[in-house]
Amino acid sequence: MENKAIKVENLTFRYPDAESDTLKNISFELDYGEVLGIIGPNGAGKTTLAMALKGLIPHTVDGEIQGKIIVDGKDVLKHDISEQVLNSGLVFQDPEGQLSQMSVEEEVAFGLGNIGVPRAEMVKRIEKALQTVGLAGFEKRSPLALSGGQQQRLAIASVMAMEPSIMMMDEPTTMLDPVGKNEVFKVLKSLKEKGMTGVIIEHEIERLTMYCDKILVLHEGESILFGTPKEIFSDLMLLKKFKLRGPQVTEVAYEVFNDKEQIPVVLDEAVQSFSKELKA
Ligand SMILES: Nc1ncnc2c1ncn2[C@@H]1O[C@H](COP(=O)(O)OP(=O)(O)OP(=O)(O)O)[C@@H](O)[C@H]1O
Protein backbone atom coordinates (compact mmCIF):
# COMPACT_ATOMS: atom_id res chain seq x y z
CA MET A 1 0.00 0.00 0.00
CA GLU A 2 1.21 3.44 -0.85
CA ASN A 3 1.92 5.50 2.24
CA LYS A 4 3.70 8.75 1.56
CA ALA A 5 4.43 11.58 4.00
CA ILE A 6 3.77 14.14 1.27
CA LYS A 7 2.17 13.75 -2.10
CA VAL A 8 1.79 16.82 -4.30
CA GLU A 9 0.09 16.48 -7.66
CA ASN A 10 -0.11 19.17 -10.34
CA LEU A 11 -0.18 21.98 -7.80
CA THR A 12 -0.84 25.38 -9.32
CA PHE A 13 -1.43 28.53 -7.31
CA ARG A 14 -2.04 32.16 -8.10
CA TYR A 15 -2.23 35.03 -5.58
CA PRO A 16 -5.26 37.30 -5.93
CA ASP A 17 -4.64 39.99 -8.55
CA ALA A 18 -1.33 38.39 -9.60
CA GLU A 19 -0.75 38.30 -13.34
CA SER A 20 0.71 34.81 -13.43
CA ASP A 21 0.80 31.62 -11.38
CA THR A 22 3.32 31.57 -8.51
CA LEU A 23 3.33 27.76 -8.42
CA LYS A 24 3.06 25.98 -11.74
CA ASN A 25 2.01 22.36 -12.01
CA ILE A 26 4.26 21.05 -9.23
CA SER A 27 4.34 17.32 -8.45
CA PHE A 28 6.57 15.38 -6.05
CA GLU A 29 6.44 12.80 -3.28
CA LEU A 30 8.28 12.34 -0.02
CA ASP A 31 8.49 9.19 2.11
CA TYR A 32 8.22 9.15 5.89
CA GLY A 33 11.64 9.63 7.49
CA GLU A 34 12.90 11.65 4.55
CA VAL A 35 13.95 15.29 4.57
CA LEU A 36 13.23 17.42 1.52
CA GLY A 37 15.33 20.50 0.77
CA ILE A 38 13.70 23.17 -1.39
CA ILE A 39 16.06 25.50 -3.22
CA GLY A 40 15.74 28.13 -5.89
CA PRO A 41 16.40 31.82 -6.51
CA ASN A 42 14.50 34.61 -4.75
CA GLY A 43 10.89 34.75 -5.79
CA ALA A 44 10.91 31.17 -7.11
CA GLY A 45 7.92 30.25 -4.94
CA LYS A 46 9.61 28.37 -2.09
CA THR A 47 7.75 30.07 0.76
CA THR A 48 4.49 29.88 -1.16
CA LEU A 49 4.96 26.13 -1.57
CA ALA A 50 5.73 25.73 2.15
CA MET A 51 2.56 27.69 2.99
CA ALA A 52 0.55 25.43 0.70
CA LEU A 53 1.97 22.27 2.28
CA LYS A 54 1.08 23.68 5.67
CA GLY A 55 -2.44 24.55 4.56
CA LEU A 56 -2.00 28.28 5.18
CA ILE A 57 -2.75 28.48 1.49
CA PRO A 58 -5.68 28.41 0.72
CA HIS A 59 -7.20 28.40 4.24
CA THR A 60 -5.76 31.71 5.50
CA VAL A 61 -3.97 33.18 2.48
CA ASP A 62 -6.33 33.67 -0.45
CA GLY A 63 -5.69 32.65 -4.00
CA GLU A 64 -6.68 30.31 -6.76
CA ILE A 65 -5.42 26.80 -6.19
CA GLN A 66 -5.55 23.67 -8.31
CA GLY A 67 -4.17 20.19 -7.88
CA LYS A 68 -3.77 17.97 -4.88
CA ILE A 69 -1.72 18.12 -1.66
CA ILE A 70 -1.78 15.11 0.64
CA VAL A 71 0.23 15.52 3.85
CA ASP A 72 0.36 12.60 6.27
CA GLY A 73 -2.60 11.01 4.51
CA LYS A 74 -4.81 14.10 4.75
CA ASP A 75 -6.04 16.20 1.88
CA VAL A 76 -4.74 19.66 2.85
CA LEU A 77 -7.09 21.51 0.53
CA LYS A 78 -10.13 19.94 2.15
CA HIS A 79 -9.08 20.07 5.80
CA ASP A 80 -9.39 22.97 8.14
CA ILE A 81 -6.21 24.78 9.19
CA SER A 82 -6.61 23.74 12.85
CA GLU A 83 -6.14 20.13 11.79
CA GLN A 84 -3.01 21.06 9.87
CA VAL A 85 -1.41 22.29 13.09
CA LEU A 86 -1.15 18.68 14.19
CA ASN A 87 -0.07 17.59 10.78
CA SER A 88 2.89 19.79 10.15
CA GLY A 89 4.76 22.37 12.18
CA LEU A 90 6.40 25.39 10.60
CA VAL A 91 9.53 27.20 11.79
CA PHE A 92 10.20 30.59 10.21
CA GLN A 93 13.27 32.61 9.32
CA ASP A 94 13.04 35.28 12.00
CA PRO A 95 13.68 33.70 15.41
CA GLU A 96 12.55 36.64 17.55
CA GLY A 97 9.38 37.23 15.53
CA GLN A 98 7.95 33.82 16.39
CA LEU A 99 8.47 34.05 20.16
CA SER A 100 5.82 35.67 22.31
CA GLN A 101 5.82 34.21 25.79
CA MET A 102 7.46 35.27 29.07
CA SER A 103 9.68 32.26 29.61
CA VAL A 104 11.23 29.46 27.57
CA GLU A 105 8.96 26.80 29.07
CA GLU A 106 5.86 28.94 28.56
CA GLU A 107 6.88 29.40 24.96
CA VAL A 108 6.85 25.64 24.37
CA ALA A 109 3.70 25.21 26.49
CA PHE A 110 1.78 27.83 24.51
CA GLY A 111 1.24 25.73 21.37
CA LEU A 112 0.52 22.64 23.46
CA GLY A 113 -2.17 24.54 25.38
CA ASN A 114 -3.74 25.57 22.08
CA ILE A 115 -4.12 21.97 20.97
CA GLY A 116 -5.40 20.84 24.38
CA VAL A 117 -2.50 18.68 25.58
CA PRO A 118 -3.13 17.73 29.25
CA ARG A 119 -0.88 19.29 31.89
CA ALA A 120 1.12 16.15 32.84
CA GLU A 121 1.76 15.30 29.21
CA MET A 122 2.73 18.92 28.57
CA VAL A 123 5.44 18.82 31.24
CA LYS A 124 6.93 15.69 29.68
CA ARG A 125 6.86 17.09 26.17
CA ILE A 126 8.44 20.39 27.21
CA GLU A 127 11.28 18.59 28.96
CA LYS A 128 11.91 16.29 26.01
CA ALA A 129 11.78 19.09 23.42
CA LEU A 130 14.12 21.39 25.35
CA GLN A 131 16.49 18.48 25.92
CA THR A 132 16.55 17.67 22.20
CA VAL A 133 17.45 21.20 21.17
CA GLY A 134 20.00 21.61 23.96
CA LEU A 135 18.01 24.13 26.00
CA ALA A 136 17.48 22.08 29.17
CA GLY A 137 18.21 24.38 32.11
CA PHE A 138 16.88 27.45 30.27
CA GLU A 139 13.23 26.88 31.27
CA LYS A 140 12.77 30.06 33.31
CA ARG A 141 14.71 32.42 31.07
CA SER A 142 13.12 35.03 28.88
CA PRO A 143 13.17 33.96 25.22
CA LEU A 144 14.24 37.49 24.33
CA ALA A 145 17.42 37.12 26.40
CA LEU A 146 18.56 34.16 24.30
CA SER A 147 21.02 34.35 21.41
CA GLY A 148 19.64 34.10 17.87
CA GLY A 149 20.68 30.46 17.57
CA GLN A 150 19.09 29.63 20.93
CA GLN A 151 15.90 31.45 19.95
CA GLN A 152 15.66 29.49 16.74
CA ARG A 153 16.29 26.25 18.64
CA LEU A 154 13.48 27.26 20.98
CA ALA A 155 11.20 27.85 18.00
CA ILE A 156 12.10 24.35 16.77
CA ALA A 157 11.40 22.91 20.26
CA SER A 158 7.99 24.62 20.32
CA VAL A 159 7.04 23.06 17.00
CA MET A 160 8.59 19.69 17.88
CA ALA A 161 6.66 19.46 21.15
CA MET A 162 3.43 19.50 19.16
CA GLU A 163 4.69 16.25 17.62
CA PRO A 164 3.76 17.14 14.06
CA SER A 165 4.18 14.34 11.57
CA ILE A 166 6.21 16.70 9.40
CA MET A 167 8.53 19.54 10.43
CA MET A 168 8.69 22.41 7.97
CA MET A 169 11.33 25.08 8.15
CA ASP A 170 11.57 28.21 6.05
CA GLU A 171 15.18 29.38 6.04
CA PRO A 172 15.65 28.65 9.76
CA THR A 173 19.30 29.73 9.74
CA THR A 174 19.29 32.68 7.35
CA MET A 175 19.24 35.35 10.04
CA LEU A 176 21.74 33.66 12.33
CA ASP A 177 25.47 34.21 12.77
CA PRO A 178 27.82 31.27 12.00
CA VAL A 179 27.67 30.01 15.61
CA GLY A 180 23.86 30.11 15.62
CA LYS A 181 23.74 28.41 12.22
CA ASN A 182 25.93 25.58 13.50
CA GLU A 183 23.74 25.16 16.59
CA VAL A 184 20.59 24.88 14.52
CA PHE A 185 22.14 22.54 11.96
CA LYS A 186 23.32 20.28 14.78
CA VAL A 187 19.74 20.07 16.05
CA LEU A 188 18.44 19.37 12.55
CA LYS A 189 21.01 16.62 12.13
CA SER A 190 19.95 14.97 15.38
CA LEU A 191 16.26 15.26 14.44
CA LYS A 192 17.07 13.65 11.11
CA GLU A 193 18.87 10.80 12.90
CA LYS A 194 15.76 10.30 15.03
CA GLY A 195 13.72 9.75 11.86
CA MET A 196 12.15 13.18 11.42
CA THR A 197 10.21 13.77 8.24
CA GLY A 198 10.90 17.32 7.18
CA VAL A 199 10.82 20.03 4.58
CA ILE A 200 13.45 22.73 4.70
CA ILE A 201 13.96 25.82 2.58
CA GLU A 202 17.60 26.69 2.78
CA HIS A 203 20.24 28.56 0.83
CA GLU A 204 23.19 26.70 2.35
CA ILE A 205 23.59 24.02 -0.26
CA GLU A 206 26.57 22.41 1.51
CA ARG A 207 24.41 21.77 4.56
CA LEU A 208 21.46 20.53 2.55
CA THR A 209 23.54 17.85 0.88
CA MET A 210 24.41 16.53 4.32
CA TYR A 211 20.97 15.81 5.64
CA CYS A 212 18.43 15.99 2.85
CA ASP A 213 17.26 12.84 1.12
CA LYS A 214 15.60 14.71 -1.70
CA ILE A 215 16.03 18.13 -3.27
CA LEU A 216 13.39 20.09 -5.14
CA VAL A 217 14.63 22.95 -7.31
CA LEU A 218 12.08 25.66 -8.00
CA HIS A 219 12.51 28.24 -10.72
CA GLU A 220 9.85 30.84 -11.49
CA GLY A 221 7.23 28.66 -9.85
CA GLU A 222 8.16 25.51 -11.71
CA SER A 223 9.69 22.37 -10.29
CA ILE A 224 12.66 22.05 -12.60
CA LEU A 225 14.56 19.29 -10.79
CA PHE A 226 13.68 16.74 -8.15
CA GLY A 227 15.96 13.97 -6.91
CA THR A 228 18.64 12.96 -4.45
CA PRO A 229 21.34 15.55 -3.61
CA LYS A 230 23.77 13.42 -5.62
CA GLU A 231 21.50 13.47 -8.67
CA ILE A 232 20.84 17.19 -8.42
CA PHE A 233 24.19 18.62 -7.42
CA SER A 234 26.52 16.50 -9.51
CA ASP A 235 25.02 17.95 -12.68
CA LEU A 236 26.67 21.36 -12.42
CA MET A 237 26.01 22.29 -16.02
CA LEU A 238 22.28 21.93 -15.50
CA LEU A 239 22.41 23.93 -12.26
CA LYS A 240 24.33 26.72 -13.96
CA LYS A 241 21.69 26.88 -16.65
CA PHE A 242 19.29 27.99 -13.92
CA LYS A 243 21.88 30.29 -12.31
CA LEU A 244 22.32 28.00 -9.32
CA ARG A 245 25.59 26.78 -7.92
CA GLY A 246 26.58 23.39 -6.57
CA PRO A 247 28.36 22.58 -3.31
CA GLN A 248 31.89 24.04 -3.25
CA VAL A 249 33.49 20.59 -3.18
CA THR A 250 31.54 19.64 -6.28
CA GLU A 251 32.56 22.80 -8.12
CA VAL A 252 36.24 22.14 -7.37
CA ALA A 253 36.01 18.43 -8.17
CA TYR A 254 34.31 19.20 -11.46
CA GLU A 255 37.48 20.93 -12.61
CA VAL A 256 39.69 18.01 -11.51
CA PHE A 257 37.92 14.76 -12.36
CA ASN A 258 37.35 13.51 -15.86
CA ASP A 259 34.84 10.92 -14.79
CA LYS A 260 31.79 13.05 -14.02
CA GLU A 261 30.05 10.01 -12.51
CA GLN A 262 32.51 10.22 -9.62
CA ILE A 263 31.84 13.84 -8.71
CA PRO A 264 31.41 14.19 -4.92
CA VAL A 265 28.68 16.35 -3.41
CA VAL A 266 29.64 16.17 0.27
CA LEU A 267 32.98 16.87 1.94
CA ASP A 268 33.69 13.31 3.21
CA GLU A 269 33.09 11.91 -0.23
CA ALA A 270 35.34 14.61 -1.73
CA VAL A 271 38.20 13.76 0.64
CA GLN A 272 38.00 10.11 -0.47
CA SER A 273 37.83 11.00 -4.17
CA PHE A 274 40.77 13.41 -3.93
CA SER A 275 42.96 11.00 -1.99
CA LYS A 276 42.23 8.26 -4.56
CA GLU A 277 43.12 10.73 -7.35
CA LEU A 278 46.37 11.72 -5.64
CA LYS A 279 47.38 8.06 -5.20
CA ALA A 280 46.59 7.24 -8.83
N1 LIG B 1 0.72 37.78 -0.87
C1 LIG B 1 1.20 37.83 -2.10
N2 LIG B 1 0.49 38.39 -3.12
C2 LIG B 1 0.96 38.43 -4.39
N3 LIG B 1 2.15 37.94 -4.76
C3 LIG B 1 2.91 37.38 -3.80
C4 LIG B 1 2.49 37.29 -2.42
N4 LIG B 1 3.46 36.67 -1.70
C5 LIG B 1 4.44 36.38 -2.58
N5 LIG B 1 4.12 36.78 -3.83
C6 LIG B 1 4.94 36.63 -5.05
O1 LIG B 1 5.05 35.24 -5.33
C7 LIG B 1 6.36 34.95 -5.85
C8 LIG B 1 7.00 33.86 -5.00
O2 LIG B 1 7.25 34.36 -3.69
P1 LIG B 1 7.86 33.44 -2.55
O3 LIG B 1 8.02 34.28 -1.34
O4 LIG B 1 7.07 32.19 -2.45
O5 LIG B 1 9.29 33.09 -3.18
P2 LIG B 1 10.59 32.52 -2.47
O6 LIG B 1 11.17 31.54 -3.42
O7 LIG B 1 10.25 32.02 -1.11
O8 LIG B 1 11.51 33.80 -2.39
P3 LIG B 1 12.62 34.23 -1.30
O9 LIG B 1 13.81 33.33 -1.52
O10 LIG B 1 12.90 35.64 -1.68
O11 LIG B 1 12.00 34.07 0.06
C9 LIG B 1 7.12 36.28 -5.84
O12 LIG B 1 7.06 36.81 -7.13
C10 LIG B 1 6.34 37.13 -4.86
O13 LIG B 1 6.44 38.48 -5.19
Side-chain angles (χ1 to χ4, degrees), residues 17-18 27-28 82-83 104 111 127 133-134 191 213 237 245 269:
D17 305 325
S27 300
F28 68 90
S82 58
E83 291 176 55
V104 164
E127 192 187 331
V133 302
L191 289 175
D213 303 284
M237 289 304 141
R245 63 169 193 87
E269 216 188 340

Side-chain angles (χ1 to χ4, degrees), residues 11-13 87 111 229:
L11 174 64
T12 296
F13 176 75
N87 241 358

Side-chain angles (χ1 to χ4, degrees), residues 15-18 22-23 40-49 51 61-62 93 170-171 201 203 218:
Y15 285 105
D17 305 325
T22 290
L23 300 177
N42 291 342
K46 303 181 295 296
T47 298
T48 305
L49 177 58
M51 290 199 295
V61 176
D62 280 344
Q93 198 179 108
D170 190 353
E171 302 191 32
I201 298 173
H203 288 288
L218 285 185

Side-chain angles (χ1 to χ4, degrees), residues 30-73:
L30 193 72
D31 282 319
Y32 284 101
E34 284 190 330
V35 176
L36 170 72
I38 304 178
I39 62 169
N42 291 342
K46 303 181 295 296
T47 298
T48 305
L49 177 58
M51 290 199 295
L53 292 174
K54 177 87 183 88
L56 289 168
I57 286 174
H59 299 292
T60 31
V61 176
D62 280 344
E64 206 180 296
I65 195 158
Q66 289 157 35
K68 215 169 188 184
I69 309 172
I70 311 290
V71 174
D72 195 25

